[in-house]
Amino acid sequence: LRRTPRGYRIFPEETNQVIMSVGMNVLGSTASQNPPDESTINGRSQRFHTFDGKNFDMNYYTSNKTGKTRKEENDYTIAKGEGWGGLENKLKELEQAKAEDSDASQPKFGTWNGVFVSCLLNIFGVIMFLRLPWTVGQAGILLTLVIIFISNVVTTITTLSMSAICTNGEVKAGGAYYLISRSLGPRVGGPIGVMFSLGQAVAVALYVIGFCETVVLLSSDPVTGDDLNDIRVFGIMVVTVLLIMAYIGTGWVIKLQIGLLGLLVGSILCVLIGSIATPPNEDKGFVGPGGSTISDNAGPEFRDGYDFFQVFAVFFPAVTGIMAGANISGDLINPSENIPTGTLYAILVSTVVYMAMAITIGAVVIRAPEDSSDDIGLYDDPLVMTEVAIPYIGGPLVLAGIFAATFSSGLASLVGAPRILMSVAQDDLIPALAPFGVYRQSDKSPVRGYFLTYFVSGCCILIGSLNAIAPLISMFFMITYGLINLSTFALEMSKSPSWRPKFTYFNKWVSFFGFLMCLVIMFLTSWYIALASIFLAGALYYYIHFRDPNVNWGSANQAREFYDVEKAMMRMRHHRTDNDKLYRPHYLIMTGEPKDRLHLCQFIASLRKGYGITVYGNVYTGSYRESVIEFRKKGFERGYYESSSVPTLKVRGFLSTVIAPSVREGLQSLLCCAGLGVLRPNTLVLGYKEDWKDEMQTEEKKLATDTGDLTVNDYVDMIRDGFKMGMGVMVCRNLKKLEWNYEAEITDKTIDIYWLVDDGGLTLLIPYILSLHVWWQQRTGAGEKKVPLRLILVGDIDSCNTVQTLVDLFRIPCEIKRCPLNLGKTSEALEKYSKPNVAARVREESKSKLEHWLKIGELIRTESKNASMVFATLPYPLVGIEYELYMTWLDALSTTIPTVLIRGNNENVLTFYLEGNGG
């Protein structure tokens, strides 16, 4: 915008320069030192700030009334993370953390040498070499292809979901646990972390048993006299070697992964080529290509009590290697990029290889007859691939591949399981796991976790059967995969602006379908193992739920709660708040800082059975500009308060703090703005001003605007303000005498109600809600029953009969007692209240009203001297009433026992119809 002889014009060619200069300033450049230019528009002086290509002088707009320099005030905002300064600091922290990791002794790995190779080494493992022929024999070629297809559909959907989560932010150590816990929260993440770690520990046993089974099959005679015992003994020896290797460090093993993968590829090629080139050996069931073998093996022939899903459960651990990359996420250069790319390529390659191997084996190896005593063919010879492989070099190469695959996979699982458990322990979700959160300083290895995994896997090795362990592993991985898919679905449904994954090749409904697939397969495979797994996960879930750890990870559940609350609030816009059937008290309690008037908070907490909202009103007196920094430092903007000082009273609610010149003006702001939508306070709760008499005796009254203190005039006007806003008002006195923090002696005391005028029924409803709370039931000896209420009627017989009829219709259980009003000597009461010269100051026509309320006060002191609490109608502060007189009424009505003076706004809050008056 530039001034020309014809007026002001916009020059588009200079717009980008101006925008760039503003943007550079916002990103943290130093404020310009150029003074603002002055010009005139329409005869009025204006100030313009110059752009020098770098800076824009923002400090000019900052007040300096607080005594701080403009720079200090701006720096405070940046230090709190407001604006770009906070994000820039976080970026520096992230870069510094990466730099520190790069200097660490533990090497970092990328997409191919870290994720792709790790996944294939786990996928091309014990199941492919030792159980793929058995799977083809049981299910046939076609159903084996279906099993491979379903397995890889599950893993592909899971990988797509996992990739979306991985690319939505920085992924730290913890693998699947980190992904799920940060997506679905600690209650779901904690159980999955424990179970996935347990599944990895059991997987160690699977690989070790496969290793030892091969050794036993190659040996001519059992060492212990029994093949099963040989597997157990050798297995304990092998897992001990793995433990030693893990303790020394695994970096060198990962460096050898490419060589190990080359060995496996060579073994696979030997089998594929040998199926054509190797001469048949019918004694071992290898008949070569041609003939009717492929057609004979096309269909299923289940034996030994197996069915399709049981065979599926044995095979499925073959594809669970997709988590190998995620399990070492803390050791990757860029997990957000490495994990999706490496895992998807590993799935693609492994799917092609498994299908090719299944077709090849099914085409050249026969099923042995069921009554055959020889260990030959697809069913009974786990090492039949060594017969199919290329002569001379093929057999040894396949055996080397088996040993390399099982050994490396077992080591990877032994290293991965403790790292997951360490992440759970360090998050302090389950205190019993705290010892496993410790790591070795030199390389951050979870040494204690290594020994725990060694113990668990050792116990499973004693089972000795690969077919028995495989279904158990399938359950653990199915739960994990299902919840990864559910996490992505939940994040997508959360509608959170922070959900912005770079990987976009996923769909929320596909992820949800993946979750359902995992759940259904679990129960079809083994319903009792599925139930046991879900029961274990559920027990851990509820343990963490009741422990309620103090973590704030921004999970999908939290994001969805915001979304659901907003939708629910908007749906409630059609609810009529004037319908007395829907009425429930919502409280605005003028507590100041709640901890300073905890007795008021505890009293309202005992009204929790009304299930209304609680807003703690706090007025921070002062000017906005001078007070806002201190306001934020005290955390008033957070908006919540809770206290657990009394176990049976859940003191919690919304804290609404305003900055205002005086307490009354602050209250007026709260009356206008507290709450949201239909959830707005409808009942104002005040404490009693105990020092009002001292102020009345002072000749020169203080002004609230001068001192910030609350004067008698303002106090009475605050009560009037509440009524003018259409709210009910409660004035509480002597609540500290209830000793909320201690267990009182059980008595048969009642709660007395003096309902003196028709206020809509609030005076009757609040005591009823109070009687439902367990704290009052314990205090009055009511047990699990409602606290006994006593309604004391004051007036003529006709009025009392009317009230009694209404109480019956309103279904409020209470004892009704009639009392005459001509008790005591009013002159004595007047003398008591003449010390501040109240009686002399009030107008003559007001003395009759004073005597009336004094008589009611005498009645309360006489009839309710043994009550637990008294509720009495609050006098209405009419315009023009003397403030001293009104405070005298309140003082006379409130006895030495806890008393609540209460009055509704004359809108009905009780009904005896099925349809409320708002309908």
PDB file of all heavy atoms in Angstrom, residues 298-321:
ATOM      1  N   ALA A 298      -3.567 -81.101  -4.883  1.00  0.00           N
ATOM      2  CA  ALA A 298      -4.282 -79.832  -5.032  1.00  0.00           C
ATOM      3  C   ALA A 298      -5.298 -79.617  -3.913  1.00  0.00           C
ATOM      4  O   ALA A 298      -5.444 -78.508  -3.398  1.00  0.00           O
ATOM      5  CB  ALA A 298      -4.977 -79.765  -6.387  1.00  0.00           C
ATOM      6  N   GLY A 299      -6.007 -80.665  -3.531  1.00  0.00           N
ATOM      7  CA  GLY A 299      -7.041 -80.536  -2.506  1.00  0.00           C
ATOM      8  C   GLY A 299      -6.533 -80.873  -1.124  1.00  0.00           C
ATOM      9  O   GLY A 299      -5.436 -81.405  -0.950  1.00  0.00           O
ATOM     10  N   PRO A 300      -7.344 -80.586  -0.092  1.00  0.00           N
ATOM     11  CA  PRO A 300      -6.910 -80.828   1.292  1.00  0.00           C
ATOM     12  C   PRO A 300      -7.058 -82.301   1.695  1.00  0.00           C
ATOM     13  O   PRO A 300      -7.873 -83.034   1.148  1.00  0.00           O
ATOM     14  CB  PRO A 300      -7.862 -79.949   2.110  1.00  0.00           C
ATOM     15  CG  PRO A 300      -9.108 -79.890   1.289  1.00  0.00           C
ATOM     16  CD  PRO A 300      -8.656 -79.914  -0.150  1.00  0.00           C
ATOM     17  N   GLU A 301      -6.259 -82.701   2.652  1.00  0.00           N
ATOM     18  CA  GLU A 301      -6.382 -84.026   3.259  1.00  0.00           C
ATOM     19  C   GLU A 301      -5.891 -83.908   4.709  1.00  0.00           C
ATOM     20  O   GLU A 301      -4.767 -84.256   5.039  1.00  0.00           O
ATOM     21  CB  GLU A 301      -5.537 -85.051   2.486  1.00  0.00           C
ATOM     22  CG  GLU A 301      -5.784 -86.494   2.956  1.00  0.00           C
ATOM     23  CD  GLU A 301      -5.005 -87.506   2.124  1.00  0.00           C
ATOM     24  OE1 GLU A 301      -4.943 -87.354   0.889  1.00  0.00           O
ATOM     25  OE2 GLU A 301      -4.439 -88.453   2.728  1.00  0.00           O
ATOM     26  N   PHE A 302      -6.786 -83.404   5.551  1.00  0.00           N
ATOM     27  CA  PHE A 302      -6.411 -83.124   6.943  1.00  0.00           C
ATOM     28  C   PHE A 302      -6.285 -84.425   7.732  1.00  0.00           C
ATOM     29  O   PHE A 302      -7.130 -85.316   7.620  1.00  0.00           O
ATOM     30  CB  PHE A 302      -7.442 -82.209   7.598  1.00  0.00           C
ATOM     31  CG  PHE A 302      -7.512 -80.837   6.975  1.00  0.00           C
ATOM     32  CD1 PHE A 302      -8.593 -80.468   6.194  1.00  0.00           C
ATOM     33  CD2 PHE A 302      -6.480 -79.929   7.155  1.00  0.00           C
ATOM     34  CE1 PHE A 302      -8.664 -79.225   5.621  1.00  0.00           C
ATOM     35  CE2 PHE A 302      -6.533 -78.676   6.585  1.00  0.00           C
ATOM     36  CZ  PHE A 302      -7.627 -78.316   5.803  1.00  0.00           C
ATOM     37  N   ARG A 303      -5.247 -84.507   8.541  1.00  0.00           N
ATOM     38  CA  ARG A 303      -4.988 -85.689   9.377  1.00  0.00           C
ATOM     39  C   ARG A 303      -4.690 -85.257  10.808  1.00  0.00           C
ATOM     40  O   ARG A 303      -4.459 -84.092  11.096  1.00  0.00           O
ATOM     41  CB  ARG A 303      -3.800 -86.489   8.822  1.00  0.00           C
ATOM     42  CG  ARG A 303      -3.992 -87.037   7.419  1.00  0.00           C
ATOM     43  CD  ARG A 303      -2.760 -87.814   6.975  1.00  0.00           C
ATOM     44  NE  ARG A 303      -2.875 -88.281   5.585  1.00  0.00           N
ATOM     45  CZ  ARG A 303      -1.910 -88.933   4.941  1.00  0.00           C
ATOM     46  NH1 ARG A 303      -0.764 -89.205   5.566  1.00  0.00           N
ATOM     47  NH2 ARG A 303      -2.095 -89.314   3.691  1.00  0.00           N
ATOM     48  N   ASP A 304      -4.692 -86.238  11.694  1.00  0.00           N
ATOM     49  CA  ASP A 304      -4.310 -86.060  13.107  1.00  0.00           C
ATOM     50  C   ASP A 304      -5.182 -85.019  13.822  1.00  0.00           C
ATOM     51  O   ASP A 304      -4.731 -84.333  14.743  1.00  0.00           O
ATOM     52  CB  ASP A 304      -2.837 -85.652  13.233  1.00  0.00           C
ATOM     53  CG  ASP A 304      -1.904 -86.672  12.596  1.00  0.00           C
ATOM     54  OD1 ASP A 304      -2.238 -87.874  12.652  1.00  0.00           O
ATOM     55  OD2 ASP A 304      -0.867 -86.263  12.052  1.00  0.00           O
ATOM     56  N   GLY A 305      -6.424 -84.867  13.362  1.00  0.00           N
ATOM     57  CA  GLY A 305      -7.358 -83.964  14.035  1.00  0.00           C
ATOM     58  C   GLY A 305      -7.226 -82.507  13.662  1.00  0.00           C
ATOM     59  O   GLY A 305      -7.892 -81.652  14.251  1.00  0.00           O
ATOM     60  N   TYR A 306      -6.396 -82.180  12.684  1.00  0.00           N
ATOM     61  CA  TYR A 306      -6.231 -80.782  12.270  1.00  0.00           C
ATOM     62  C   TYR A 306      -7.347 -80.377  11.309  1.00  0.00           C
ATOM     63  O   TYR A 306      -7.893 -81.208  10.574  1.00  0.00           O
ATOM     64  CB  TYR A 306      -4.863 -80.573  11.605  1.00  0.00           C
ATOM     65  CG  TYR A 306      -3.717 -80.527  12.579  1.00  0.00           C
ATOM     66  CD1 TYR A 306      -2.994 -81.680  12.894  1.00  0.00           C
ATOM     67  CD2 TYR A 306      -3.337 -79.329  13.183  1.00  0.00           C
ATOM     68  CE1 TYR A 306      -1.935 -81.655  13.782  1.00  0.00           C
ATOM     69  CE2 TYR A 306      -2.275 -79.290  14.074  1.00  0.00           C
ATOM     70  CZ  TYR A 306      -1.587 -80.452  14.372  1.00  0.00           C
ATOM     71  OH  TYR A 306      -0.542 -80.411  15.261  1.00  0.00           O
ATOM     72  N   ASP A 307      -7.665 -79.077  11.304  1.00  0.00           N
ATOM     73  CA  ASP A 307      -8.570 -78.511  10.313  1.00  0.00           C
ATOM     74  C   ASP A 307      -7.907 -77.283   9.704  1.00  0.00           C
ATOM     75  O   ASP A 307      -6.735 -76.985   9.984  1.00  0.00           O
ATOM     76  CB  ASP A 307      -9.930 -78.167  10.926  1.00  0.00           C
ATOM     77  CG  ASP A 307      -9.825 -77.181  12.090  1.00  0.00           C
ATOM     78  OD1 ASP A 307      -8.815 -76.449  12.177  1.00  0.00           O
ATOM     79  OD2 ASP A 307     -10.751 -77.146  12.928  1.00  0.00           O
ATOM     80  N   PHE A 308      -8.636 -76.576   8.865  1.00  0.00           N
ATOM     81  CA  PHE A 308      -8.055 -75.457   8.125  1.00  0.00           C
ATOM     82  C   PHE A 308      -7.474 -74.398   9.056  1.00  0.00           C
ATOM     83  O   PHE A 308      -6.328 -73.946   8.866  1.00  0.00           O
ATOM     84  CB  PHE A 308      -9.127 -74.832   7.219  1.00  0.00           C
ATOM     85  CG  PHE A 308      -8.658 -73.604   6.491  1.00  0.00           C
ATOM     86  CD1 PHE A 308      -7.918 -73.705   5.329  1.00  0.00           C
ATOM     87  CD2 PHE A 308      -8.932 -72.332   6.993  1.00  0.00           C
ATOM     88  CE1 PHE A 308      -7.472 -72.573   4.651  1.00  0.00           C
ATOM     89  CE2 PHE A 308      -8.488 -71.191   6.331  1.00  0.00           C
ATOM     90  CZ  PHE A 308      -7.766 -71.317   5.158  1.00  0.00           C
ATOM     91  N   PHE A 309      -8.232 -73.987  10.067  1.00  0.00           N
ATOM     92  CA  PHE A 309      -7.775 -72.885  10.911  1.00  0.00           C
ATOM     93  C   PHE A 309      -6.671 -73.315  11.878  1.00  0.00           C
ATOM     94  O   PHE A 309      -5.841 -72.494  12.269  1.00  0.00           O
ATOM     95  CB  PHE A 309      -8.959 -72.285  11.675  1.00  0.00           C
ATOM     96  CG  PHE A 309      -9.869 -71.467  10.804  1.00  0.00           C
ATOM     97  CD1 PHE A 309     -11.064 -71.982  10.341  1.00  0.00           C
ATOM     98  CD2 PHE A 309      -9.506 -70.192  10.410  1.00  0.00           C
ATOM     99  CE1 PHE A 309     -11.892 -71.234   9.529  1.00  0.00           C
ATOM    100  CE2 PHE A 309     -10.317 -69.432   9.599  1.00  0.00           C
ATOM    101  CZ  PHE A 309     -11.520 -69.952   9.141  1.00  0.00           C
ATOM    102  N   GLN A 310      -6.658 -74.571  12.263  1.00  0.00           N
ATOM    103  CA  GLN A 310      -5.540 -75.035  13.087  1.00  0.00           C
ATOM    104  C   GLN A 310      -4.242 -75.067  12.280  1.00  0.00           C
ATOM    105  O   GLN A 310      -3.168 -74.721  12.788  1.00  0.00           O
ATOM    106  CB  GLN A 310      -5.862 -76.425  13.641  1.00  0.00           C
ATOM    107  CG  GLN A 310      -6.951 -76.404  14.710  1.00  0.00           C
ATOM    108  CD  GLN A 310      -7.333 -77.792  15.176  1.00  0.00           C
ATOM    109  OE1 GLN A 310      -7.272 -78.751  14.407  1.00  0.00           O
ATOM    110  NE2 GLN A 310      -7.750 -77.899  16.432  1.00  0.00           N
ATOM    111  N   VAL A 311      -4.338 -75.480  11.018  1.00  0.00           N
ATOM    112  CA  VAL A 311      -3.166 -75.431  10.140  1.00  0.00           C
ATOM    113  C   VAL A 311      -2.751 -73.983   9.918  1.00  0.00           C
ATOM    114  O   VAL A 311      -1.559 -73.647   9.908  1.00  0.00           O
ATOM    115  CB  VAL A 311      -3.463 -76.139   8.802  1.00  0.00           C
ATOM    116  CG1 VAL A 311      -2.306 -75.954   7.827  1.00  0.00           C
ATOM    117  CG2 VAL A 311      -3.732 -77.622   9.034  1.00  0.00           C
ATOM    118  N   PHE A 312      -3.749 -73.112   9.751  1.00  0.00           N
ATOM    119  CA  PHE A 312      -3.463 -71.681   9.589  1.00  0.00           C
ATOM    120  C   PHE A 312      -2.705 -71.152  10.800  1.00  0.00           C
ATOM    121  O   PHE A 312      -1.759 -70.369  10.656  1.00  0.00           O
ATOM    122  CB  PHE A 312      -4.780 -70.921   9.403  1.00  0.00           C
ATOM    123  CG  PHE A 312      -4.614 -69.439   9.282  1.00  0.00           C
ATOM    124  CD1 PHE A 312      -4.440 -68.846   8.049  1.00  0.00           C
ATOM    125  CD2 PHE A 312      -4.614 -68.624  10.412  1.00  0.00           C
ATOM    126  CE1 PHE A 312      -4.272 -67.478   7.925  1.00  0.00           C
ATOM    127  CE2 PHE A 312      -4.446 -67.260  10.304  1.00  0.00           C
ATOM    128  CZ  PHE A 312      -4.272 -66.672   9.057  1.00  0.00           C
ATOM    129  N   ALA A 313      -3.099 -71.567  12.007  1.00  0.00           N
ATOM    130  CA  ALA A 313      -2.443 -71.087  13.227  1.00  0.00           C
ATOM    131  C   ALA A 313      -1.000 -71.531  13.300  1.00  0.00           C
ATOM    132  O   ALA A 313      -0.140 -70.810  13.815  1.00  0.00           O
ATOM    133  CB  ALA A 313      -3.207 -71.584  14.451  1.00  0.00           C
ATOM    134  N   VAL A 314      -0.704 -72.741  12.784  1.00  0.00           N
ATOM    135  CA  VAL A 314       0.682 -73.214  12.772  1.00  0.00           C
ATOM    136  C   VAL A 314       1.506 -72.430  11.761  1.00  0.00           C
ATOM    137  O   VAL A 314       2.676 -72.103  12.005  1.00  0.00           O
ATOM    138  CB  VAL A 314       0.731 -74.721  12.468  1.00  0.00           C
ATOM    139  CG1 VAL A 314       2.169 -75.192  12.296  1.00  0.00           C
ATOM    140  CG2 VAL A 314       0.037 -75.511  13.571  1.00  0.00           C
ATOM    141  N   PHE A 315       0.885 -72.103  10.622  1.00  0.00           N
ATOM    142  CA  PHE A 315       1.642 -71.413   9.565  1.00  0.00           C
ATOM    143  C   PHE A 315       1.818 -69.922   9.854  1.00  0.00           C
ATOM    144  O   PHE A 315       2.851 -69.333   9.487  1.00  0.00           O
ATOM    145  CB  PHE A 315       0.924 -71.584   8.222  1.00  0.00           C
ATOM    146  CG  PHE A 315       1.536 -70.770   7.118  1.00  0.00           C
ATOM    147  CD1 PHE A 315       2.649 -71.235   6.430  1.00  0.00           C
ATOM    148  CD2 PHE A 315       1.028 -69.521   6.779  1.00  0.00           C
ATOM    149  CE1 PHE A 315       3.239 -70.470   5.428  1.00  0.00           C
ATOM    150  CE2 PHE A 315       1.612 -68.753   5.780  1.00  0.00           C
ATOM    151  CZ  PHE A 315       2.724 -69.242   5.094  1.00  0.00           C
ATOM    152  N   PHE A 316       0.854 -69.266  10.502  1.00  0.00           N
ATOM    153  CA  PHE A 316       0.835 -67.802  10.587  1.00  0.00           C
ATOM    154  C   PHE A 316       2.107 -67.190  11.181  1.00  0.00           C
ATOM    155  O   PHE A 316       2.521 -66.104  10.745  1.00  0.00           O
ATOM    156  CB  PHE A 316      -0.393 -67.331  11.380  1.00  0.00           C
ATOM    157  CG  PHE A 316      -0.558 -65.844  11.376  1.00  0.00           C
ATOM    158  CD1 PHE A 316      -1.051 -65.188  10.260  1.00  0.00           C
ATOM    159  CD2 PHE A 316      -0.220 -65.079  12.490  1.00  0.00           C
ATOM    160  CE1 PHE A 316      -1.208 -63.816  10.241  1.00  0.00           C
ATOM    161  CE2 PHE A 316      -0.363 -63.704  12.485  1.00  0.00           C
ATOM    162  CZ  PHE A 316      -0.863 -63.070  11.349  1.00  0.00           C
ATOM    163  N   PRO A 317       2.766 -67.807  12.171  1.00  0.00           N
ATOM    164  CA  PRO A 317       4.009 -67.188  12.679  1.00  0.00           C
ATOM    165  C   PRO A 317       5.064 -66.955  11.603  1.00  0.00           C
ATOM    166  O   PRO A 317       5.991 -66.170  11.802  1.00  0.00           O
ATOM    167  CB  PRO A 317       4.492 -68.188  13.733  1.00  0.00           C
ATOM    168  CG  PRO A 317       3.240 -68.845  14.211  1.00  0.00           C
ATOM    169  CD  PRO A 317       2.377 -68.968  12.996  1.00  0.00           C
ATOM    170  N   ALA A 318       4.903 -67.625  10.423  1.00  0.00           N
ATOM    171  CA  ALA A 318       5.874 -67.417   9.355  1.00  0.00           C
ATOM    172  C   ALA A 318       5.873 -65.987   8.856  1.00  0.00           C
ATOM    173  O   ALA A 318       6.913 -65.478   8.410  1.00  0.00           O
ATOM    174  CB  ALA A 318       5.565 -68.372   8.190  1.00  0.00           C
ATOM    175  N   VAL A 319       4.732 -65.310   8.918  1.00  0.00           N
ATOM    176  CA  VAL A 319       4.643 -63.961   8.347  1.00  0.00           C
ATOM    177  C   VAL A 319       4.713 -62.881   9.415  1.00  0.00           C
ATOM    178  O   VAL A 319       4.560 -61.698   9.108  1.00  0.00           O
ATOM    179  CB  VAL A 319       3.334 -63.813   7.528  1.00  0.00           C
ATOM    180  CG1 VAL A 319       3.324 -64.777   6.363  1.00  0.00           C
ATOM    181  CG2 VAL A 319       2.104 -64.005   8.408  1.00  0.00           C
ATOM    182  N   THR A 320       4.918 -63.253  10.659  1.00  0.00           N
ATOM    183  CA  THR A 320       4.943 -62.253  11.738  1.00  0.00           C
ATOM    184  C   THR A 320       6.236 -61.466  11.778  1.00  0.00           C
ATOM    185  O   THR A 320       6.389 -60.579  12.617  1.00  0.00           O
ATOM    186  CB  THR A 320       4.724 -62.928  13.102  1.00  0.00           C
ATOM    187  OG1 THR A 320       5.724 -63.941  13.297  1.00  0.00           O
ATOM    188  CG2 THR A 320       3.354 -63.560  13.181  1.00  0.00           C
ATOM    189  N   GLY A 321       7.133 -61.760  10.871  1.00  0.00           N
ATOM    190  CA  GLY A 321       8.390 -61.012  10.840  1.00  0.00           C
ATOM    191  C   GLY A 321       8.234 -59.580  10.402  1.00  0.00           C
ATOM    192  O   GLY A 321       9.215 -58.821  10.394  1.00  0.00           O
TER     193      GLY A 321
END
